[in-house]
Amino acid sequence: AQKVTQAQTEISVVEKEDVTLDCVYETRDTTYYLFWYKQPPSGELVFLIRRNSFDEQNEISGRYSWNFQKSTSSFNFTITASQVVDSAVYFCALSERQGTGNQFYFGTGTSLTVIP
Amino acid sequence: DVKVTQSSRYLVKRTGEKVFLECVQDMDHENMFWYRQDPGLGLRLIYFSYDVKMKEKGDIPEGYSVSREKKERFSLILESASTNQTSMYLCASSRQGNSDTQYFGPGTRLTVL
């Protein structure tokens, strides 16, 4: 079973629209971490945010905001007033303890296209 | 800033060749990872390492091996490249602990003919 599910494969929006990228995760750990990464056309994954399982406060950073809800195992990402530069593939990831270390699980990504 | 570099951005090899993909990080991170990325499949973990000379298999280790002789360097080896190993390969590093963010290199797009 997928540990991290990003059901939206591709999304297209017109510039200045808001868009929400969904992420649902599965874990039995009580302590875990969730991440969002952006992969622009250049290919390098860029870290956007990390959230631990004990902090359900929503976070806002400029046009970006994240909604973490443990009750629904979701960690959704909203871009407000989208811009062409937001066009990228976005990955949600889960980190949980495994043995002596930790392992990341990535979703399959959501490709966002912002149309000018 | 964390810097993860990979030896090549693009690589073309022939079936049966031995291929080395090198990854170097400059932040003294304990953990290093190799992923491959394919359309519709996201990132899949090939191997990871928590320390020098230590390695553990990820989800898809078949056909690959790794080497970590120094803390800053983690090499991915394709002993005999095959066409189904054509992919984007991403290296990442992080400090110890599951709270720590993985930082990624720019990726190597490998084509096996």
Side-chain angles (χ1 to χ4, degrees):
Chain A
Q2 273 288 95
K3 290 281 234 178
V4 178
T5 301
Q6 294 180 256
Q8 305 150 307
T9 307
E10 295 180 359
I11 301 177
S12 291
V13 298
V14 176
E15 202 170 18
K16 298 196 176 111
E17 285 184 350
D18 299 347
V19 58
T20 295
L21 310 182
D22 298 332
C23 174
V24 174
Y25 63 93
E26 179 186 327
T27 182
R28 292 183 182 175
D29 281 3
T30 54
T31 302
Y32 53 90
Y33 292 81
L34 297 164
F35 301 78
W36 274 95
Y37 286 85
K38 174 183 180 180
Q39 187 180 39
S42 60
E44 186 167 341
L45 268 80
V46 177
F47 163 71
L48 294 177
I49 190 171
R50 178 183 73 200
R51 171 67 75 220
N52 75 57
S53 52
F54 299 107
D55 183 0
E56 284 194 73
Q57 273 193 328
N58 290 337
E59 176 145 345
I60 298 174
S61 175
R63 296 184 297 107
Y64 294 172
S65 62
W66 290 269
N67 181 5
F68 175 30
Q69 292 194 338
K70 285 177 79 170
S71 60
T72 56
S73 297
S74 65
F75 186 44
N76 296 337
F77 172 31
T78 297
I79 302 174
T80 303
S82 59
Q83 300 176 1
V84 173
V85 292
D86 296 327
S87 296
V89 180
Y90 291 86
F91 289 95
C92 180
L94 163 72
S95 175
E96 58 181 18
R97 178 64 66 181
Q98 185 166 48
T100 56
N102 64 293
Q103 187 160 347
F104 263 59
Y105 299 92
F106 283 87
T108 51
T110 297
S111 177
L112 173 66
T113 301
V114 180
I115 303 163
Chain B
D1 277 354
V2 177
K3 191 76 174 174
V4 180
T5 57
Q6 295 183 229
S7 49
S8 307
R9 290 300 303 272
Y10 300 93
L11 208 53
V12 179
K13 295 292 182 180
R14 297 208 172 271
T15 301
E17 280 192 77
K18 190 169 185 176
V19 181
F20 292 88
L21 302 183
E22 305 283 343
C23 175
V24 177
Q25 49 94 5
D26 66 358
M27 286 303 293
D28 202 35
H29 283 170
E30 290 81 10
N31 303 336
M32 296 189 76
F33 307 83
W34 275 107
Y35 295 89
R36 65 176 281 177
Q37 181 181 7
D38 301 288
L41 298 178
L43 276 71
R44 292 181 293 166
L45 183 64
I46 304 172
Y47 268 97
F48 57 101
S49 169
Y50 292 134
D51 203 350
V52 175
K53 296 193 186 297
M54 180 272 182
K55 60 186 178 185
E56 288 199 28
K57 292 179 180 179
D59 300 319
I60 52 164
E62 297 78 18
Y64 303 95
S65 62
V66 291
S67 171
R68 193 160 180 207
E69 296 296 318
K70 294 184 178 181
K71 191 175 185 180
E72 67 271 18
R73 188 179 297 269
F74 192 35
S75 302
L76 179 69
I77 303 154
L78 287 65
E79 294 288 342
S80 178
S82 62
T83 54
N84 64 11
Q85 292 178 310
T86 292
S87 186
M88 169 72 95
Y89 290 87
L90 295 165
C91 175
S93 73
S94 73
R95 290 195 303 260
Q96 276 188 335
N98 68 333
S99 65
D100 284 309
T101 303
Q102 291 192 8
Y103 294 93
F104 284 82
T108 296
R109 187 167 292 284
L110 172 67
T111 302
V112 183
L113 302 175

